[in-house]
Amino acid sequence: MDSLTQIVLGAAVGEAVLGKKVGNKAMLYGAIAGTIPDLDIFASHFTDTVSALAIHRGFTHSVVFSVLFAPILGWLVSRYEKYKDRKGWSWLFFWALITHPILDAHTTWGTQLFWPLDLRLAFKTIFVIDPLYTLPFLVFLILTMFQKRDSKKRRVYNGIGLTLSTTYLALTFALKSIAFTQFEEALKHQNITYLQIDTRPSPLNTILWNANIETESNYLLGTYSFFDSKEITFESYPKNHELLGDLINDEKVKRMIAISEGWYTIHKLNDQLYFNDLRFGLLSMEPQSQNFAFRYLIDIDASGNVSFIELEKTQQDGKQLMLDLWERIKGN
């Protein structure tokens, strides 16, 4: 999830653990802990694109990381804070650290919660930025901050924030299930034979859902809004995996395919190959658009070394997508 959401969650968890004993400092340290796992983004400055993607939401988003670093951080804080209970501080850091990847596991990218096992949890029930999850949570956190440390209202406000956010997160599973059923029924009605379906919410909401459907030679992309009145339609994209040729044996290509969980197409333009990660959809709702959210140029240097160069997104891409999404959310 986005940084603000993780700060709010970490602060609320810190308050629940130690708020009664240390007041707003519990929120402060909880917020700090809530941002620590995302420090893995700095790996992109020290390694190649593929390695950085593999590292992202790996070790720092695991149970192992939380167990190892919570007592270290708890010990450090207990050294200079008036409240000297190392166990209490360690408990705060553990819960603030571990709730971060648990929340991230509900997004499309997911987390390697059980690192070092090669298993990424991705429930794909919530977008990385969802105002309905964050804003009510933030409001009750602010109300909590202005209450006295031993005030009953303080615990009530924080409890309401945690309850509302958790309830909404649970509701997203039901919404995903409904959307999944609608996609299944549309495929059945249109006599489309498929291998698997992958569904996820569209940006900033859980009303409009996207689906990737794999067939033998193509991927079908479709959208469904709870306000739809017409049947779901699908856009077909050829896999074009054969365009990779011998590159299919390159280690970086293999890693990129694994990272995308096999949901990718290859597009050739001006004798250059592009790798499209389908899991995050398109930045345009125009028919047969190739403007995927995560698109990489496959670059091969004179020595035959392969590298992936992510194509930059523009502000115009984002603005147009928001306008298109708003219209699509209202129904087809």
Side-chain angles (χ1 to χ4, degrees), residues 180 183-184 187-188 191-198 212-220 239 241 261-263:
F180 183 88
F183 285 117
E184 272 193 324
L187 290 166
K188 183 178 180 181
N191 296 315
I192 296 174
T193 301
Y194 61 93
L195 302 176
Q196 58 177 328
I197 306 176
D198 183 61
N212 295 339
I213 296 94
E214 182 183 9
T215 66
E216 287 292 342
S217 58
N218 298 285
Y219 289 110
L220 306 179
K239 294 180 178 179
H241 294 174
E261 300 174 354
W263 292 98

Side-chain angles (χ1 to χ4, degrees), residues 19-304:
K20 193 173 182 180
K21 296 180 178 178
V22 300
N24 285 344
K25 283 189 175 180
M27 289 189 189
L28 172 63
Y29 287 110
I32 292 171
T35 64
I36 288 175
D38 279 340
L39 294 179
D40 63 1
I41 61 172
F42 291 108
S44 61
H45 298 293
F46 304 101
T47 187
D48 63 277
T49 300
V50 178
S51 297
L53 289 172
I55 291 170
H56 185 46
R57 295 195 185 174
F59 170 62
T60 61
H61 287 67
S62 68
V63 175
V64 172
F65 180 85
S66 299
V67 170
L68 287 177
F69 282 88
I72 296 173
L73 294 169
W75 173 78
L76 285 173
V77 172
S78 68
R79 296 274 293 178
Y80 59 80
E81 285 290 350
K82 290 182 180 180
Y83 184 71
K84 298 298 183 183
D85 185 359
R86 186 174 64 183
K87 183 178 179 181
W89 285 116
S90 298
W91 207 233
L92 179 151
F93 278 105
F94 172 78
W95 285 110
L97 288 172
I98 196 64
T99 50
H100 178 126
I102 289 175
L103 177 57
D104 276 350
H106 293 76
T107 66
T108 298
W109 189 264
T111 59
Q112 285 184 271
L113 190 64
F114 302 113
W115 182 96
L117 296 179
D118 188 17
L119 171 66
R120 186 175 291 273
L121 291 183
F123 300 123
K124 304 179 184 180
T125 63
I126 192 169
F127 189 69
V128 291
I129 302 173
D130 190 324
L132 281 179
Y133 177 90
T134 306
L135 293 182
F137 205 174
L138 177 60
V139 168
F140 282 101
L141 183 67
I142 293 172
L143 289 173
T144 302
M145 289 173 61
F146 289 98
Q147 305 303 313
K148 292 182 179 180
R149 189 174 69 183
D150 56 354
S151 168
K152 183 178 179 181
K153 282 186 178 180
R154 186 180 180 98
R155 294 192 298 277
V156 169
Y157 286 143
N158 195 56
I160 292 174
L162 285 166
T163 300
L164 285 177
S165 60
T166 303
T167 301
Y168 177 70
L169 198 60
L171 177 62
T172 62
F173 282 89
L175 297 176
K176 180 182 175 77
S177 178
I178 295 170
F180 183 88
T181 300
Q182 292 297 319
F183 285 117
E184 272 193 324
E185 291 180 355
L187 290 166
K188 183 178 180 181
H189 186 259
Q190 296 175 39
N191 296 315
I192 296 174
T193 301
Y194 61 93
L195 302 176
Q196 58 177 328
I197 306 176
D198 183 61
T199 59
R200 64 190 183 280
S202 63
L204 307 176
N205 75 100
T206 49
I207 297 173
L208 179 64
W209 289 76
N210 299 324
N212 295 339
I213 296 94
E214 182 183 9
T215 66
E216 287 292 342
S217 58
N218 298 285
Y219 289 110
L220 306 179
L221 276 58
T223 59
Y224 168 73
S225 168
F226 289 115
F227 296 116
D228 278 356
S229 57
K230 301 176 184 177
E231 188 173 44
I232 298 170
T233 58
F234 300 96
E235 288 277 335
S236 179
Y237 287 81
K239 294 180 178 179
N240 289 334
H241 294 174
E242 70 280 358
L243 293 178
L244 287 172
D246 292 338
L247 288 175
I248 196 70
N249 298 313
D250 183 85
E251 284 304 315
K252 285 187 179 178
V253 173
K254 287 180 179 179
R255 290 176 67 192
M256 201 65 171
I257 291 172
I259 288 169
S260 70
E261 300 174 354
W263 292 98
Y264 74 98
T265 63
I266 302 297
H267 180 63
K268 190 172 185 178
L269 180 65
N270 298 327
D271 292 326
Q272 291 183 309
L273 294 180
Y274 294 87
F275 183 102
N276 304 310
D277 190 330
L278 302 187
R279 294 174 302 158
F280 305 95
L282 292 151
L283 293 174
S284 170
M285 299 192 77
E286 291 294 322
Q288 292 301 307
S289 170
Q290 291 292 332
N291 192 12
F292 287 89
F294 286 90
R295 190 182 182 203
Y296 305 87
L297 169 65
I298 303 176
D299 185 61
I300 307 172
D301 64 20
S303 301

